[in-house]
Amino acid sequence: MVFRQAKWDEKLLFEYRIEREKEEIELLPESLRRKELALPNLSELEVVRHFTRLSQISYGIDVGPVPLGSCTMKYNPKIAARILQSSKLRNMHPSLLLAGGARGLLRIIYELQEWFKEITGMDACSLQPPAGASGELSGVLMIKAYHRDRKDELRDEMIVPDSAHGSNPASSAMGGFKVVRIQTNERGNVDVNALRNAAGRKTAGLMLTNPNTLGLFEEEIKEISSIVHSSGGLLYYDGANLNGIIGIARPGDMGFDIVHLNLHKTFGSPHGGGGPGAGAVCAKGELAKYLPGYLIEEENGEFVWRTPEKSIGNVLSTLGNIPGMIYAYAFILAYGEDIWKVAVHSSLNTNYFLSLLKELNIIELPYDPNRFRKHEAVISLKRLAEEIGATADDAAKFLLDRGLHAPTIYFPLIVDEAMMFEFTETESAETVKMYVEALRDFVTIAQRNREKIKELPLNTSSRKLDLVRANHPQTLKPSIVYGVDNAKQRSV
């Protein structure tokens, strides 16, 4: 398949200023006429073409695979989009929900809460957070409020492994905690001895992803839980990687106290540019009283709102991302009791990828290459970079030039020249093989002519960025000038 991405010099919508016949306008009295109206004044056809051209210079999950590690990007079932187009949902006013109307939607939210409780092993779930990071911050604020109510405010340290998502230390800092970093051991898991030394009287909690960003399950999770709890801290589960264990293992059974889920990752809701995020935060025991926003409860066949007893308050001015919930509802309903297949098939894709990649000896799998990964894996191009100067960035650009979305690169920071692949359960074996063949070609071409790969990508609508310019503070300025008709005038 030959890839050549379209390149349109497309204006912004409000830059179109098409003069229309004024006959109809002149029928209006002079006093009602506006001299200028800042609207595009386009026909339906022109608007459709505008957005179609924009879509042609974009890349999304409906065009091809997006194997961004630790940021699950899977197919968004179109049946959910069809349901959302229902006039019953599209025209529903939020006040209806607050007034106890829209019972069908309240039932959906209630059932989602119940399913998430079962999936995570928690006692209650709030669906108000609009994203995973919002769920994280909610969890951090719950931990803070819990210790405050126990008059234990000296606990101002949050332990975060060095393999964690960047949002973990960020959320901790936003919550007013000091971040204590602990290292990863040679098997790619939390160094338990380091944790034992770090945990103590000042520990508020530990934020952990399991499987972690290396795609490895924490082998000593029960010991980790015991260390944190015996020090008086709480265990927080970052649900970004739930895809690797869903339906097979539950955070609650591992000892976690609070969990956040990414509906826009694990549960098939549109992600990134495809739609707003949607989160859920769940908790066990006493901590359930601190959940944000609201809970839906069933009383005598009716669904009613309840604010948790010690709630940290609203984390969003609205009820949450209802479309995201609909996607998640359809996703879980479609899998039913077979939802464990999500974890099995995504893990199978990852390990199939790694098995095919073994023929490329110059590409390494750090942290115990003999261990199976879950839903994602991090490979290293360190040897390739040292021996012939071909970097992970070059490999990513090579993939883009082939029409294949690049994986996450240079993360986690504990892997040199990292490329983090996550194919998800919705990609086929053929897709996995395409990536391996592309990486094989990359290595071959790089060994023959290193300079050639430095020029890529050439087939995308945007070429390789000048990294110095891209990182220069001047890029904070607008990249184009608005309100002009000529393309040359738009360039800064």
Side-chain angles (χ1 to χ4, degrees), residues 31-48:
S31 60
L32 296 179
R33 295 182 203 166
R34 296 185 187 186
K35 293 181 179 178
E36 187 173 351
L37 186 60
L39 292 176
N41 193 25
L42 301 176
S43 68
E44 179 178 316
L45 176 60
E46 289 163 334
V47 172
V48 168

Side-chain angles (χ1 to χ4, degrees), residues 327-341:
Y327 267 96
Y329 189 82
F331 183 87
I332 298 174
L333 205 58
Y335 272 99
E337 295 181 351
D338 287 338
I339 202 163
W340 57 272
K341 291 181 179 177

Side-chain angles (χ1 to χ4, degrees), residues 76-86 89 268 323 326-328 330-331:
N76 312 133
K78 297 298 175 278
I79 189 172
R82 185 175 178 183
I83 294 169
L84 282 166
Q85 290 303 311
S86 157
L89 284 173
I326 301 296
Y327 267 96
F331 183 87

Side-chain angles (χ1 to χ4, degrees), residues 70 72 109 111-139 142 165 167-168 207-211 236-247 249-252 254 256 258-269 271 276-283 291-292 315 321 324-325 328-329 331-332 339:
S70 268
T72 309
I109 298 174
E111 291 186 347
L112 264 181
Q113 289 178 178
E114 296 301 301
W115 293 343
F116 288 150
K117 284 162 56 179
E118 179 62 29
I119 287 170
T120 60
M122 296 283 124
D123 293 332
C125 296
S126 167
L127 306 190
Q128 191 185 49
S134 174
E136 273 188 47
L137 181 59
S138 299
M142 289 166 63
H165 296 104
S167 54
N168 289 176
M207 299 187 79
L208 190 64
T209 310
N210 192 20
Y236 182 88
Y237 183 85
D238 181 330
N241 290 347
L242 183 69
N243 218 56
I245 59 169
I246 186 170
R250 306 192 307 173
M254 301 174 204
F256 286 92
I258 304 174
V259 172
H260 94 254
L261 304 175
N262 303 77
L263 276 57
H264 52 288
K265 289 184 178 181
T266 314
F267 299 99
S269 302
H271 197 175
V281 60
C282 308
L291 284 167
V315 292
N321 180 6
M325 296 180 202
Y329 189 82
F331 183 87
I332 298 174
I339 202 163

Side-chain angles (χ1 to χ4, degrees), residues 38-66:
L39 292 176
N41 193 25
L42 301 176
S43 68
E44 179 178 316
L45 176 60
E46 289 163 334
V47 172
V48 168
R49 286 175 176 168
H50 166 77
F51 284 106
T52 301
R53 287 193 290 268
L54 287 180
S55 73
Q56 288 174 341
I57 58 176
S58 301
Y59 186 102
I61 197 71
D62 288 343
V63 175
V66 184

